[in-house]
């Protein structure tokens, strides 16, 4: 009996060690954060204000759905500025080759200058449909090697950022390490973490891109209208110290 108990104890220790070893080898990039728990706040109509869009460009529904016509090229911005935060949302393009994005730490003065169609300056988290790349190359433009459709993160205008690799050929954009975005009509999940001048993006549960040394590291949150209908839902934020 003692020998059998000793054997069982040894087996239990070996099993535990094996499980620990497996946990150490598991990827740590998975993060399906859905905005549940203390501190998370849903963002809706009262949390945004018009910048240079039309009155009907953006429609905020009580169930959390946000519809955008895509016209004109413009943004709606958050009522307040944010510094350190986590953000979650889902998005989907309704037409092939759709273009949109989420600006974090948007420069206030660049918003004030938007009296007509256009986009502000800040750190952009790209929201592109998979068909955009094909349409770009068919349109007679140069090869689509300077952007991807899977979650680029990059500075716009006067904003600064040191992108995480892999990067665009000119070193300006952080390219995603994996291609995880879904196509037209399918919902994609974004989790953005912006802390102390560092931005990281998770696409459909895996970290893929980001950058550090962002300047400014505080500003407005903006949603883009960029020529094609797009929908967002489940937009939530949690402010951090």
């Amino acid at each position: 009996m003692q020998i059998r108990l000793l054997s069982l104890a040894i087996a239990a220790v070996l099993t535990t060690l094996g499980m620990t070893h497996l946990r150490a080898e598991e990827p740590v990039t998975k993060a399906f954060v859905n905005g549940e728990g203390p501190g998370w706040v849903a963002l809706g109509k009262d949390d945004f204000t018009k910048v240079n869009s039309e009155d009907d460009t953006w429609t905020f529904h009580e169930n959390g759905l946000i519809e955008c016509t895509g016209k004109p090229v413009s943004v709606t911005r958050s009522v307040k500025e944010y510094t350190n935060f986590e953000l979650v949302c889902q998005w989907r393009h309704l037409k092939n080759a759709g273009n949109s994005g989420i600006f974090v730490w948007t420069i206030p003065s660049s918003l004030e200058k938007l009296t007509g169609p256009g986009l502000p300056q800040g750190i952009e988290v790209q929201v592109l449909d998979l068909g955009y790349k094909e349409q770009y190359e068919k349109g007679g433009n140069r090869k689509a090697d300077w952007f991807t459709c899977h979650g680029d993160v990059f500075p716009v205008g006067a904003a600064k950022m040191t992108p995480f690799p892999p990067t665009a050929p000119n070193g300006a954009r952080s390219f995603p390490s994996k291609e995880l975005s879904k196509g037209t009509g399918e919902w994609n999940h974004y989790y953005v973490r912006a802390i102390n001048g560092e931005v990281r993006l998770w696409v459909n549960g895996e970290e893929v891109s980001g950058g550090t040394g962002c300047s400014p590291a505080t500003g407005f949150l903006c949603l883009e209208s960029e020529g094609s209908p797009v929908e967002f839902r489940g937009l939530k934020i949690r402010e951090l110290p």
Side-chain angles (χ1 to χ4, degrees):
M1 179 63 71
Q2 289 180 343
I3 294 175
R4 182 171 182 273
L5 289 175
L6 180 60
S7 298
L8 289 173
I10 293 172
V13 171
L14 291 174
T15 300
T16 301
L17 290 173
M19 291 176 65
T20 302
H21 177 66
L22 287 174
R23 284 197 296 268
E25 293 181 348
E26 290 175 353
V28 295
T29 55
K30 290 283 186 179
F32 251 106
V33 179
N34 288 318
E36 299 177 358
W40 285 99
V41 176
L43 297 177
K45 182 178 180 180
D46 293 339
D47 300 294
F48 286 87
T49 186
K50 186 174 73 171
V51 178
N52 58 335
S53 298
E54 299 294 338
D55 291 339
D56 63 350
T57 302
W58 298 92
T59 302
F60 291 82
H61 298 272
E62 292 185 0
N63 63 0
L65 179 68
I66 304 172
E67 294 179 292
C68 176
T69 64
K71 299 177 181 179
V73 174
S74 56
V75 294
T76 182
R77 71 160 174 84
S78 58
V79 172
K80 63 180 292 186
E81 294 185 53
Y82 296 97
T83 302
N84 294 337
F85 62 90
E86 295 173 283
L87 178 79
V88 295
C89 74
Q90 295 180 62
W91 60 266
R92 66 176 178 182
H93 283 288
L94 302 183
K95 287 187 177 181
N96 181 59
N99 189 357
S100 184
I102 301 171
F103 274 89
V104 301
W105 296 331
T106 310
I107 300 173
S109 61
S110 70
L111 289 164
E112 295 170 1
K113 296 175 182 177
L114 291 176
T115 57
L119 299 174
Q121 301 174 29
I123 305 300
E124 181 172 349
V125 178
Q126 187 77 74
V127 174
L128 274 183
D129 181 69
L130 296 182
Y132 192 90
K133 182 176 181 180
E134 180 181 1
Q135 180 172 291
Y136 178 88
E137 294 187 335
K138 281 185 176 180
N141 294 297
R142 62 189 176 93
K143 184 175 175 60
D145 60 354
W146 60 276
F147 70 89
T148 83
C149 298
H150 295 273
D152 296 5
V153 178
F154 54 93
V156 177
K160 306 294 182 184
M161 185 188 82
T162 301
F164 294 147
T167 64
N170 66 358
R173 291 178 174 229
S174 174
F175 276 180
S177 56
K178 292 185 178 181
E179 297 185 347
L180 300 173
S181 293
K182 302 174 184 178
T184 310
E186 296 186 81
W187 286 104
N188 289 277
H189 182 278
Y190 270 12
Y191 165 55
V192 180
R193 192 174 70 195
I195 305 174
N196 297 332
E198 180 180 276
V199 177
R200 292 178 179 267
L201 170 66
W202 281 253
V203 175
N204 293 323
E206 293 191 52
E207 184 180 2
V208 298
S209 55
T212 190
C214 296
S215 176
T218 189
F220 292 103
L221 173 69
C222 291
L223 301 179
E224 279 186 44
S225 167
E226 201 165 351
S228 184
V230 63
E231 293 180 342
F232 296 88
R233 71 180 182 186
L235 182 62
K236 297 180 181 180
I237 197 167
R238 176 163 65 178
E239 293 188 74
L240 302 171

